[in-house]
Amino acid sequence: MPYPKDFIWGVATAAAQIEGGARDGGRGPSIWDAYAAAGKIKNNDTPSVACDSYHRFETDLANLKALGVNSYRLSIAWPRVMPSGTGALNPAGLAYYRRVFESLLEAGIAPNVTLYHWDLPQALEERGGWLSPDSGKWFADYADAMFRQYGDIVPMWVTINEPIAVYVGYGLGWFAPGYKDIARGNQARHNVLTAHGRAVEAFRASDAVGKIGIVIDIWKRHPATDSEADAAMVIDQDEDNWKFYTDRVFAGRYSDYLLKKLGREGTLMTIGPDDLRLGAVPLDFYGLNCYNRVVVSAEKEDKRDPGTGGNPHLEPQFYDRVIYDAVHLLRGLYNLQLPIYVTENGTFFGAEEVPDERGIVQDRYRQRYLAAMLESVEMLLKEGIDLRGYYLWSLMDNFEWTAGYSVRYGILRTDFTTLARTWKASAYWYRDYIRRASGREAANA
Ligand code: FCB
């Protein structure tokens, strides 16, 4: 297998999806707590307990060790360390993450820490959230506080996970805080990228020893037919769904197509004089979240159900070259030479999630998916692409945002009543794959 010795093998989670402990240790509410309280989550689920990792980190650590990963991607809950979003830090929250990071390091597992995985403090939402011109300063101050706290021990930092989530929350209303207003969505997603740049600048000015990057997800559109209408739709949706972010971060601009479109719609954001420079500050790596492609059809688009239609997470079919294509696409568009990590990749398929008589979920679909995806990773490595790691989403079933607990992405099954975690067949499969890939098979067999 073509994996270099120091290749990063990981699994990923996010604070709002696993921690729970919503009112414990001085944590403030996040926009997802408020969104859930407003009844916006499927089955009226809430993230207040989730996998209870706030109280069960030792269990998670034992599972990470048993999987044999050498890195764990997780996020800091901003409202846990800064309950009001700005100002005073919360000692209990800080102590929690210090313990988590130190225990991981002791176990030889590098923490890859995301500063913003969608859980804005509700206190800041009440001051305008990502629409506020102050949001960049709020985020940079919070980031700076984290670099001071943990900069000496954390080797990898991510500023923002999938900036598109902010658009989904302010523009489309499917995520917290739940506004359905494209103009707001555009301003919010513009602001979050400026905030990203300010956090990177704070990082460069700090004594932190690690590397910093951003995670942008790519959902490449493919036409359903060879009609002109489908081809036009591919261009339009690519511009809006991922090029908005990659153009800004890798090229320091928005495309003429996008600017014209937003201008025509009357949804163009206000762009401050330093914003474009900030969005494109030099990074140490790029994190690619990649799940699937999206097949678009001009004909179907007109008929789709606006409630769930178009949500690519609900598509059980997969395209096995998705990682391979995304990497080449970005290299072609921007001559991207940065080290790349696949920071999330995974799948769910409800019908296969029933445990067998021994309590094990035989998730063959997930194994097939992972095997195909890792084949792309191997192909890229053989081509000499600077791909340095792979994180599977997710360590365990967790709070899947608006879908609540109804969608299970874990390689460990979480029983949301007892909070027990049970290995699915794919967890054993991934453990064995890592052993083979890192040449540890003989030693650990
Ligand atoms: C990604 C998110 C992650 C999780 C997976 C399934 O878009 O970053 O939190 O929801 O999808």
Side-chain angles (χ1 to χ4, degrees):
M1 290 168 121
Y3 297 101
K5 272 268 161 283
D6 55 356
F7 193 79
I8 293 289
W9 289 104
V11 284
T13 61
Q17 295 180 271
I18 65 160
E19 278 181 13
R23 289 163 187 246
D24 296 335
R27 180 185 176 279
S30 86
I31 52 173
W32 279 92
D33 297 307
Y35 193 65
K40 299 292 179 85
I41 310 286
K42 183 151 183 199
N43 301 324
N44 272 321
D45 287 340
T46 80
S48 53
V49 176
C51 306
D52 197 33
S53 285
Y54 184 64
H55 299 109
R56 287 165 204 257
F57 175 69
E58 297 309 322
T59 307
D60 296 343
L61 181 63
N63 283 317
L64 292 165
K65 285 186 194 168
L67 282 168
V69 294
N70 57 10
S71 185
Y72 179 42
R73 179 166 179 246
L74 72 172
S75 75
I76 294 177
W78 185 350
R80 189 178 293 292
V81 293
M82 256 187 190
S84 312
T86 55
L89 289 163
N90 170 28
L94 293 177
Y96 171 70
Y97 292 112
R98 178 148 285 271
R99 181 166 66 83
V100 166
F101 301 156
E102 283 179 352
S103 324
L104 288 167
L105 288 165
E106 261 164 47
I109 301 172
N112 176 345
V113 177
T114 298
L115 289 163
Y116 188 71
H117 201 126
W118 310 356
D119 43 0
L120 189 74
Q122 177 62 16
L124 293 184
E125 183 50 38
E126 284 159 17
R127 293 163 65 187
W130 288 113
L131 294 170
S132 168
D134 295 331
S135 55
K137 178 167 171 22
W138 298 336
F139 184 63
D141 287 351
Y142 152 63
D144 184 57
M146 295 304 100
F147 303 145
R148 283 171 202 276
Q149 289 291 325
Y150 310 118
D152 55 334
I153 56 170
V154 168
M156 277 179 89
W157 294 92
V158 167
T159 53
I160 305 288
N161 177 74
E162 299 190 357
I164 194 174
V166 167
Y167 179 73
V168 178
Y170 289 78
L172 304 179
W174 302 342
F175 278 176
Y179 299 118
K180 213 172 178 162
D181 176 339
I182 300 299
R184 286 199 213 190
N186 290 338
Q187 190 65 56
R189 60 176 164 165
H190 173 81
N191 291 352
V192 82
L193 292 173
T194 308
H196 147 79
R198 293 186 64 144
V200 175
E201 288 201 332
F203 184 81
R204 301 291 182 218
S206 78
D207 295 329
V209 296
K211 306 267 188 221
I212 195 159
I214 190 171
V215 166
I216 301 174
D217 51 320
I218 306 289
W219 292 86
K220 178 77 184 83
R221 268 53 184 175
H222 290 234
T225 71
D226 56 12
S227 73
E228 266 176 43
D230 284 0
M233 185 170 269
V234 165
I235 293 174
D236 190 71
Q237 292 199 9
D238 279 347
E239 288 286 341
D240 225 327
N241 281 281
W242 53 271
K243 279 188 80 236
F244 185 102
Y245 315 95
T246 55
D247 278 354
R248 178 91 186 270
V249 169
F250 299 130
R253 57 164 168 73
Y254 295 113
S255 72
D256 290 342
Y257 179 100
L258 191 90
L259 292 173
K260 272 193 204 130
K261 173 182 162 173
L262 303 188
R264 233 180 12 248
E265 289 176 355
T267 63
L268 191 63
M269 53 279 177
T270 305
I271 302 177
D274 207 21
D275 292 2
L276 294 179
R277 182 193 67 78
L278 279 165
V281 290
L283 301 175
D284 299 322
F285 65 88
Y286 162 59
L288 166 68
N289 282 6
C290 206
Y291 286 84
N292 210 343
R293 69 173 172 184
V294 181
V295 177
V296 297
S297 152
E299 217 176 84
K300 272 207 198 130
E301 176 85 353
D302 295 338
K303 297 183 198 138
R304 78 176 179 180
D305 162 14
T308 54
N311 180 349
H313 285 161
L314 300 180
E315 168 63 78
Q317 303 297 318
F318 68 86
Y319 170 63
D320 58 5
R321 297 272 286 223
V322 70
I323 292 176
Y324 184 89
D325 286 2
V327 167
H328 280 288
L329 185 64
L330 296 179
R331 285 168 64 88
L333 279 172
Y334 310 108
N335 188 28
L336 186 72
Q337 299 294 331
L338 281 177
I340 300 172
Y341 294 82
V342 174
T343 35
E344 284 180 28
N345 173 243
T347 191
F348 81 98
F349 189 52
E352 282 189 43
E353 294 289 281
V354 182
D356 67 12
E357 58 292 345
R358 289 168 306 151
I360 298 180
V361 173
Q362 296 297 340
D363 52 349
R364 277 185 210 92
Y365 172 82
R366 183 171 284 112
Q367 289 166 59
R368 272 200 302 278
Y369 172 95
L370 295 172
M373 296 297 158
L374 286 164
E375 231 177 271
S376 275
V377 170
E378 292 191 17
M379 278 162 62
L380 290 164
L381 288 171
K382 283 183 191 144
E383 289 174 7
I385 305 281
D386 191 2
L387 181 60
R388 301 205 183 166
Y390 172 88
Y391 293 86
L392 196 165
W393 183 275
S394 179
L395 170 62
M396 56 198 158
D397 299 335
N398 55 45
F399 175 74
E400 184 45 40
W401 310 112
T402 307
Y405 300 102
S406 70
V407 163
R408 293 174 173 273
Y409 268 94
I411 52 170
L412 271 59
R413 179 180 171 82
T414 306
D415 179 324
F416 290 107
T417 311
T418 64
L419 298 168
R421 292 92 154 109
T422 312
W423 284 39
K424 301 182 190 176
S426 57
Y428 295 99
W429 183 92
Y430 188 48
R431 178 198 64 184
D432 293 346
Y433 188 95
I434 296 174
R435 281 183 184 174
R436 282 199 306 281
S438 50
R440 284 188 282 127
E441 197 169 18
N444 286 352

